[in-house]
Amino acid sequence: MEFDWKSWFLDVWEENRRLTNFVARDLDAAEAMDKQPVNGMRPFREMLFEIWGIENAYLRGLALDQWKWEGIPDELRTAPIQEALAYGQHVREQTRKLWPSISMESLTIMRSEPFWGGPDGTAMSWLTYALENEIHHRGQGYVYLRLLGKEPPAFFVRTDVAE
């Protein structure tokens, strides 16, 4: 039986997203979602917007051939964090809906990066970047929590983290 790389990747992405959402809820509980704890670093809400924007752009491009950066609705910049997190959940639901329509071939052919002028690569390399970017920003969220005297969630607990 052949290994299902597509399912594996989505599962890893899902596990990481659950953990990112847990960090977001912890920062919200500490009333720190919009704080800039270290000069030069963005508030975590802005990092979430980047994470969701990248995911939305790549998935809509790959599944629907709509290669357009839409960004985050402006009203979410000041909305209660629960509304922002609901938007992030909507993005992930769209990913789950679109994922089956993306062929493995479309994930592995070489093409030009459509948004930032990065090097040519495969869509799987772009999605790996998206996941690594999320992990990077989640790590910043861990630092924010520690600066607040809060214990961040264990990074290896992914499937048992409450949504």
Side-chain angles (χ1 to χ4, degrees):
M1 177 182 237
E2 189 173 321
F3 187 76
D4 184 353
W5 287 102
K6 257 184 74 182
S7 293
W8 173 82
F9 184 84
L10 185 60
D11 288 346
V12 169
W13 208 2
E14 292 276 34
E15 291 172 1
N16 275 277
R17 182 58 50 85
R18 283 191 288 275
L19 188 51
T20 299
N21 289 345
F22 194 70
V23 170
R25 286 191 297 275
D26 280 358
L27 284 165
D28 180 49
E31 299 181 357
M33 186 63 75
D34 296 307
K35 305 273 193 247
Q36 185 179 2
V38 177
N39 192 22
M41 290 178 73
R42 295 177 289 163
F44 198 69
R45 180 190 299 245
E46 292 296 319
M47 294 179 203
L48 289 173
F49 291 165
E50 178 183 307
I51 290 165
W52 301 331
I54 291 170
E55 177 179 349
N56 188 44
Y58 280 144
L59 265 289
R60 291 177 57 78
L62 289 166
L64 305 173
D65 200 28
Q66 296 175 2
W67 296 99
K68 179 182 173 191
W69 180 264
E70 293 182 354
I72 301 299
D74 284 338
E75 63 270 11
L76 291 179
R77 298 194 181 282
T78 56
I81 194 57
Q82 293 311 317
E83 289 179 32
L85 291 174
Y87 177 82
Q89 186 62 29
H90 169 74
V91 169
R92 182 42 58 105
E93 288 167 5
Q94 289 301 304
T95 294
R96 289 181 194 120
K97 179 180 167 188
L98 296 173
W99 191 252
S101 70
I102 301 169
S103 71
M104 192 63 192
E105 180 184 4
S106 71
L107 292 172
T108 58
I109 60 172
M110 291 294 288
R111 59 176 106 196
S112 298
E113 199 288 320
F115 298 111
W116 300 283
D120 291 353
T122 64
M124 188 54 87
S125 69
W126 305 337
L127 295 174
T128 300
Y129 160 78
L131 174 59
E132 291 172 348
N133 184 62
E134 179 171 343
I135 293 166
H136 164 73
H137 288 314
R138 186 175 64 235
Q140 291 174 310
Y142 275 55
V143 171
Y144 288 7
L145 287 169
R146 289 202 186 276
L147 288 169
L148 293 166
K150 309 286 183 193
E151 182 67 25
F155 75 93
F156 54 84
V157 178
R158 296 179 185 174
T159 56
D160 296 328
V161 175
E163 290 268 10

